[in-house]
Amino acid sequence: MTGRLSGDEYLEQRKKQIEANYRLITEKIAAAAKSSGRNPGEIMLLAATKTVPAALINHVIGLGVTAIGENRVQELLSKYDEIEREGLSGFHFIGHLQTNKVRQIIGRVNMIESVDSVRLAQEISKRSFDAGISTDILLEVNIGKENSKSGFFPEELKERLYEISTLKGITVKGIMSIPPICSNVAQINKFFIHLNKLFIDIKCEKTDNRTIEYLSMGMSSDYEQAVKEGANIVRIGSALFGARI
Ligand SMILES: *Cc1c(COP(=O)(O)O)cnc(C)c1O
């Protein structure tokens, strides 16, 4: 009588909207990949799941999403047991990670995308090695050299990569970045192009403990552009799940 939706109806409506969003995003990713001469199958759509309840995360996994990323250790742990891992090949950590919390996620995530210091890499290395496993990592690049963001500056990336590559229990798989907020496409493109250049550069270097294969850049507002400029992981939250409340 009030015209308000019940909890179940609300959830069903959100699921339908998410399904439509998912179709649209995969089409756009495919078009962007093709327009730059790449195979759409090479691009990993990673669902950024902060604030999203497990029921909706499981819904996108059911739709075909194969990788998810959480930002906070506490939130990850609280949802962990509810997430259906069948069909899921990537469970990534994508937020700022304090060294004293590393222990809690080792063995639960297969990749930590947000490695922003040598100290953090050392801790991931130690905890993974002690657990008898290897954790994949990406090095976060502060491409806009912003004070508000963490990550390695472009000019120190190679040196840090050499340092980190010597560590046991981890494999460096590539780089991740969150470029500055830009008001136009040309501006953001400059950052994507720079990141792709860094990616290609380090791919050519040879040392142990790394197989550089991932360039993680592009979010809801700019993932098509990122794919056109070489991204093979795009991290998408609000365009898939709707605005975060
Ligand atoms: C939240 C988040 C995203 C997704 O952001 P949207 O703009 O909602 O797509 C991607 N990467 C990281 C590191 C995030 O924290």
Side-chain angles (χ1 to χ4, degrees):
M1 245 155 322
T2 59
R4 288 184 62 179
L5 296 173
S6 72
D8 282 353
E9 285 168 332
Y10 174 72
L11 195 66
E12 283 317 303
Q13 237 184 38
R14 257 194 99 175
K15 281 184 178 175
K16 280 200 187 114
Q17 185 59 54
I18 288 169
E19 180 162 2
N21 294 342
Y22 176 69
R23 306 272 168 239
L24 187 70
I25 292 165
T26 49
E27 277 168 28
K28 285 184 173 178
I29 289 174
K34 281 181 197 150
S35 82
S36 56
R38 297 158 72 208
N39 175 357
E42 289 169 25
I43 320 292
M44 183 192 301
L45 191 187
L46 177 131
T49 51
K50 56 177 173 271
T51 77
V52 179
L56 293 179
I57 299 175
N58 290 337
H59 181 58
V60 298
I61 294 169
L63 293 173
V65 166
T66 58
I68 63 168
E70 280 284 343
N71 279 73
R72 294 201 174 81
V73 170
Q74 250 359 287
E75 192 179 339
L76 184 154
L77 296 177
S78 74
K79 295 178 199 169
Y80 189 78
D81 288 337
E82 288 177 77
I83 293 171
E84 280 161 26
R85 269 174 302 277
E86 200 167 325
L88 198 65
S89 50
F91 200 140
H92 296 189
F93 192 81
I94 61 174
H96 182 67
L97 181 58
Q98 287 167 274
T99 48
N100 63 357
K101 296 202 173 147
V102 168
R103 188 177 48 83
Q104 298 174 271
I105 62 168
I106 291 303
R108 294 199 162 91
V109 298
N110 66 307
M111 187 186 285
I112 298 172
E113 294 200 15
S114 39
V115 176
D116 55 8
S117 72
V118 174
R119 207 167 79 92
L120 177 59
Q122 286 167 337
E123 181 65 11
I124 298 168
S125 159
K126 180 180 182 304
R127 298 293 176 179
S128 301
F129 186 76
D130 288 351
I133 58 170
S134 179
T135 303
D136 290 343
I137 65 168
L138 303 183
L139 302 186
E140 183 169 354
V141 180
N142 187 349
I143 196 69
K145 296 189 169 186
E146 295 169 282
N147 285 330
S148 60
K149 291 210 175 106
S150 36
F152 300 103
F153 283 173
E155 61 270 26
E156 64 172 338
L157 183 64
K158 251 187 211 173
E159 208 178 308
R160 297 296 166 260
L161 174 68
Y162 271 110
E163 248 178 291
I164 291 170
S165 297
T166 63
L167 301 171
K168 302 171 281 195
I170 55 172
T171 310
V172 186
K173 290 270 186 170
I175 56 177
M176 178 274 240
S177 188
I178 310 170
I181 293 165
C182 296
S183 52
N184 65 61
V185 173
Q187 261 180 330
I188 190 97
N189 259 355
K190 230 177 44 187
F191 293 114
F192 287 153
I193 290 165
H194 189 182
L195 285 161
N196 193 22
K197 203 168 155 292
L198 287 171
F199 173 63
I200 290 167
D201 241 30
I202 61 168
K203 226 162 126 172
C204 300
E205 306 268 321
K206 288 251 175 301
T207 57
D208 293 339
N209 286 348
R210 61 170 133 125
T211 332
I212 303 297
E213 53 182 307
Y214 294 117
L215 174 56
S216 176
M217 61 181 189
M219 318 201 295
S220 287
S221 58
D222 50 27
Y223 64 90
E224 292 172 87
Q225 225 37 61
V227 169
K228 282 181 191 163
E229 301 303 341
N232 53 17
I233 301 180
V234 287
R235 308 176 310 269
I236 302 183
S238 49
L240 181 60
F241 295 108
R244 284 182 291 275
I245 316 145

